[in-house]
Amino acid sequence: MALTATIFKAAVDISDIRRHYYQQHRLTLARHPSEPDERMMLRLLAFTLFASDSLHFTRGLSNDDEPDLWQKNLSDEIELWIELGQPSAKRLRRAFSLAKHVLVISYGDRAGGQWWKEQENALRSQAKLTVAEISDAHLNQLGELAERNMQLQVTIDDNAIWVSNPQSSIELALTALQGEITTLLQLLDSSA
């Protein structure tokens, strides 16, 4: 018998001070059987960083042709392609050919560091690429907030991200390896 996805529901209040975005989103996330809570919560965090009506979760791990999230315009063109982890060069070439902007959020201190060390020279010339990383410690804290029915408050200001539920609160940060997320947000806003 094949394992099926586990469904998580999240009511997320987003206060993004950087771009004056204050909205509540009710989200449904399907966690693939091979996906740990930490990775699923990173998908949720990526959504909050770029939240809009046109940003959507994709089939992700279930489909090699789609990123974890994407934002499409009204003409069905991909404005933003978001990958989590350490995507292959082939996968990134596909993203560059299909999307106007590509974001990679790397995780796994060892694996992420090694991936960037191997890919940095080839990727530095990609103007449409932004690469950030989250530390294992922050990713583990984020994973601890996972519940089947979540109520989260996310506040974003400059490089600080606060995520809280009724029981606890954590502060996270992403480290920029190439480009800046705020610059990417400005590019996305100007193309909207």
Side-chain angles (χ1 to χ4, degrees):
M1 181 163 74
L3 297 175
T4 59
T6 304
I7 303 301
F8 287 76
K9 302 275 186 178
V12 185
D13 286 316
I14 301 171
S15 298
D16 190 339
I17 298 163
R18 302 165 306 174
R19 58 186 180 127
H20 307 290
Y21 183 88
Y22 307 97
Q23 295 290 325
Q24 182 180 75
H25 290 269
R26 296 203 177 280
L27 304 169
T28 301
L29 294 98
R31 191 189 72 203
H32 190 275
S34 67
E35 183 179 36
D37 285 345
E38 292 82 4
R39 188 177 190 289
M40 179 196 65
M41 292 299 289
L42 185 56
R43 283 193 292 132
L44 182 59
L45 180 66
F47 179 90
T48 65
L49 293 173
F50 294 91
S52 75
D53 291 337
S54 58
L55 182 65
H56 300 283
F57 295 104
T58 66
R59 292 176 284 177
L61 292 176
S62 301
N63 188 319
D64 290 338
D65 294 333
E66 296 178 357
D68 290 287
L69 295 99
W70 60 19
Q71 179 177 321
K72 291 185 174 184
N73 62 23
L74 296 175
S75 301
D76 207 35
E77 298 168 319
I78 302 170
E79 297 283 335
L80 177 61
W81 178 293
I82 300 177
E83 287 280 344
L84 303 179
Q86 297 82 39
S88 68
K90 178 182 177 183
R91 189 163 176 83
L92 286 175
R93 279 192 302 274
R94 177 172 170 72
F96 297 144
S97 70
L98 295 175
K100 292 181 182 178
H101 306 285
V102 177
L103 169 66
V104 174
I105 301 177
S106 178
Y107 61 90
D109 291 344
R110 274 189 177 161
Q114 184 63 33
W115 171 80
W116 183 242
K117 186 177 171 183
E118 292 170 2
Q119 301 294 325
E120 182 177 10
N121 288 337
L123 297 178
R124 281 282 179 208
S125 63
Q126 290 293 336
K128 62 169 67 176
L129 176 66
T130 302
V131 180
E133 69 178 349
I134 186 168
S135 71
D136 284 346
H138 285 169
L139 188 60
N140 290 336
Q141 288 178 320
L142 191 58
E144 290 173 5
L145 297 178
E147 296 176 355
R148 294 290 297 273
N149 288 296
M150 295 178 266
Q151 290 185 335
L152 300 173
Q153 170 67 45
V154 179
T155 304
I156 305 164
D157 187 15
D158 293 326
N159 292 329
I161 305 163
W162 293 274
V163 182
S164 60
N165 66 15
Q167 294 80 34
S168 62
S169 181
I170 59 174
E171 182 177 351
L172 309 170
L174 296 178
T175 303
L177 299 176
Q178 176 168 318
E180 293 289 334
I181 289 180
T182 52
T183 303
L184 178 57
L185 284 166
Q186 291 167 353
L187 289 170
L188 291 168
D189 286 344
S190 67
S191 66

